[in-house]
Amino acid sequence: MESSGSFKEIRGLVLELGRRLDAHMRECLGALNLTPSQATALWELGTPVTMRQLADAMTCEPSNVTFVIDRLESQGLVERRPHPTDRRAKQLVLTPEGKDFRERLIHTLSADSPLSHLSAVEQGRLREGLLRAVERS
C-alpha cells in the first residue's frame, strides 16, 4: 500500500504546483494587462509565423487567433506582413515594441515563479520526470 500513499502525495504535490503556477501566471499577466491567449501568442512569436502556424501552436482555431492578433496589433506589438514566399499568406511579426514586451513577459513569468528557487539541474530533473510521466498517458 506504500505505492498508493506515494501516488497520493505526488498527485497532491503536482496539483499544488499547478495551482501555484496558475496563480503566478494570473498575477503576472494582470500586471502586464494581458490575457492568457495574448501571452501565449507573444510567447510563440519569437520568429515570424503565419496565422495558421500560430493557431496550431496555440491549439485553437485561426478565427480565435485573429481576435488575439487584432488586439496585439492595436497595441502596436504585432504587425501583419506579406509572406516572403506565399503571396496568399501573411506573416505575423513582432514590432520592436513587441520584441521588448515579449522579453518583459518572459522575464516577468520567470522571476519569482514557483520554480525559480530550483537550480537549473533541479528544474531539468523535474522536467525529465514530468516528461516520463506524461509519456505513459
Side-chain angles (χ1 to χ4, degrees), residues 14 37 108 118:
V14 168
S37 295
T108 301
L118 299 177

Side-chain angles (χ1 to χ4, degrees), residues 19-102:
R19 282 192 285 276
R20 290 181 186 195
L21 288 169
D22 286 345
H24 175 71
M25 181 170 246
R26 280 192 307 277
E27 182 180 326
C28 291
L29 296 185
L32 294 171
N33 199 27
L34 287 175
T35 66
S37 295
Q38 291 168 334
T40 301
L42 285 171
W43 194 283
E44 294 293 336
L45 285 171
T47 58
V49 296
T50 65
M51 292 283 260
R52 168 61 66 192
Q53 290 169 322
L54 183 58
D56 289 346
M58 294 176 65
T59 62
C60 67
E61 293 297 317
S63 59
N64 294 339
V65 171
T66 299
F67 176 76
V68 171
I69 294 302
D70 286 348
R71 295 272 319 268
L72 293 173
E73 192 173 37
S74 72
Q75 295 171 336
L77 302 175
V78 175
E79 57 187 30
R80 293 169 171 99
R81 293 186 185 164
H83 192 282
T85 59
D86 184 350
R87 293 185 341 188
R88 299 165 297 158
K90 297 275 187 192
Q91 272 191 325
L92 303 172
V93 180
L94 291 174
T95 63
E97 296 82 8
K99 289 178 184 177
D100 291 343
F101 196 85
R102 181 178 182 271

